[in-house]
Amino acid sequence: AVVSTQSTGNKKMKVIVLFAYVCLALAGGKLKNEMADLEDKFATVMNDTSSSLEELQADVDGLITAFNAFKEAQAKKDIDNQWQALHMAAAAACRGSTPQGGKGPWSNSVVPKENGVKCDDQCKREIGGRTVCKAEVSLTGYPGKATSYTQIVGHYYNYECDKGWNADINNNEVAAEEDAIQVTGTAYYRFCCCAKP
């Protein structure tokens, strides 16, 4: 009985350490539902002192499974946020490329450029009534925080709407792999800047 009690105590200590590790790992950006689920599982383990070693192991395995699922969800969210940052940069690049255009009470739009199609033609596809191309832009950026005022953090090109510039398929966001945004030295993704007439 002494060995069993010590073994259970060791298992509970491992659970406490695992839970502490999970809390530290998630401190930067936790998803509320997943964190609440982990806390419930931890509370169940801590409140049930009569569990057998098999039940305790099953609870630990459940915590590990929940933590791994959370990590996968967080990785997907990180990729989505990187794509959103690229889209916001593309919108800013479009605005900077069209100082005289895009006036009026409505917004303008940015769409990923399709290979082999001119932005003039792509904007005419009725993208929310924004049928006039104002510019084509191509941009890329590097991950991480800048550490000097001379460090290059990104690159861009701007093109005319009636050309088929930069036709490399690797520069096509729609054709790219989901995690391509995380590759350092990645392609210049291309966008069409479309406005209402």
Side-chain angles (χ1 to χ4, degrees), residues 81-100:
N81 286 340
Q82 287 175 298
W83 283 114
Q84 182 184 18
L86 176 66
H87 298 154
M88 293 170 73
C94 283
R95 179 60 188 100
S97 297
T98 57
Q100 302 303 316

Side-chain angles (χ1 to χ4, degrees), residues 7-18:
S7 220
T8 301
N10 287 339
K11 290 282 186 179
K12 286 194 177 189
M13 183 53 73
K14 288 180 182 178
V15 171
I16 291 169
V17 171
L18 175 64

